[in-house]
Amino acid sequence: MKSYVTSYNGLFARRSGEAPVVDRIEIPIIQRDYAQGRDSDAVARIRANFLDVLHHAVTTGVPISLDFVYGDVTSGTLRPLDGQQRLTTLFLLHWYLAWRADRLDQEQGWKRFEYATRPSARRFCACLVESKPPVDAPLRAWFEDQYWFLHTWQHDPTIQSMLLMLEAIHVRFADTDCAAAWDRLVDSMA
């Protein structure tokens, strides 16, 4: 088994050597629901601490290590066996900063992220990367008001956790220079 040091965005970059080419990330069926956005006091503390670490990294440019993510890359698809929670949070952070920095129209590999665990989460992720809420929109309410947002998603634990995490990201990054943070987040040299 080989290992490679990279960023989330760097997974999708064409690299030299023996590093596998990753065209998309698919959270496999064997993985649990997204948990970092659960609505409990214990998870709220973990979420806040993690967002503080991510915020510090993208506002100061000081790289961080999020430990290893491992899985299998087959035909360009990374299916992580460990790291699903971190990858999902990083996907949501990429969407948020791209939205706030007005970079959603850029073709980026980070957008090719999906869940195999359930069609609802796969569809939500696909709709999310195409969504551009107004800057002053309350995110959860705005998403829930979209024509593509299905009523049944209000009972999907992964989607509800993603919405809660997006709200938490919005609170933590509200006063951040998101264009500068975006540039640091996707910097291939970082």
Side-chain angles (χ1 to χ4, degrees), residues 59-72:
T59 57
T60 66
V62 176
I64 57 171
S65 173
L66 296 179
D67 207 359
F68 62 90
V69 170
Y70 70 90
D72 187 35

Side-chain angles (χ1 to χ4, degrees), residues 2 13 28 61 66 72 79 107-108 122 128 141-142 147 151 153 161 179-180:
K2 294 198 181 238
L66 296 179
D72 187 35
R79 291 180 182 89
E107 181 51 39
Q108 298 276 339
R122 182 180 317 117
L128 176 67
W142 187 86
Y147 72 90
H151 175 71
W153 291 358
S161 286

Side-chain angles (χ1 to χ4, degrees), residues 32-141:
R32 64 184 173 146
D33 291 320
Y34 177 55
Q36 288 184 351
R38 288 184 182 159
D39 192 11
S40 75
D41 291 340
V43 174
R45 283 189 298 280
I46 293 167
R47 180 174 46 251
N49 290 338
F50 190 36
L51 290 178
D52 285 346
V53 167
L54 294 173
H55 184 270
H56 183 263
V58 299
T59 57
T60 66
V62 176
I64 57 171
S65 173
L66 296 179
D67 207 359
F68 62 90
V69 170
Y70 70 90
D72 187 35
V73 178
T74 305
S75 300
T77 299
L78 169 62
R79 291 180 182 89
L81 296 175
D82 183 57
Q84 166 219 354
Q85 301 296 317
R86 286 167 284 154
L87 288 170
T88 302
T89 298
L90 291 171
F91 164 73
L92 295 172
L93 180 62
H94 277 71
W95 176 84
Y96 179 84
L97 290 177
W99 165 58
R100 291 276 315 279
D102 197 25
R103 305 291 198 284
L104 282 172
D105 291 333
Q106 295 177 346
E107 181 51 39
Q108 298 276 339
W110 68 267
K111 293 180 179 182
R112 295 185 297 274
F113 178 91
E114 63 184 47
Y115 270 72
T117 53
R118 63 196 50 78
S120 57
R122 182 180 317 117
R123 177 79 175 125
F124 178 78
C125 291
C127 291
L128 176 67
V129 299
E130 299 299 323
S131 295
K132 292 183 187 179
V135 174
D136 59 347
L139 289 179
R140 179 182 292 266

Side-chain angles (χ1 to χ4, degrees), residues 136-183:
D136 59 347
L139 289 179
R140 179 182 292 266
W142 187 86
F143 284 119
E144 290 176 346
D145 193 42
Q146 298 311 294
Y147 72 90
W148 48 261
F149 191 92
L150 302 176
H151 175 71
T152 56
W153 291 358
Q154 293 181 1
H155 306 288
D156 184 301
T158 292
I159 293 172
Q160 290 305 302
S161 286
M162 287 182 183
L163 289 172
L164 199 147
M165 178 57 87
L166 285 169
E167 289 177 319
I169 290 170
H170 190 52
V171 168
R172 183 63 185 96
F173 286 78
D175 296 327
T176 300
D177 178 348
C178 289
W182 171 255
D183 290 342

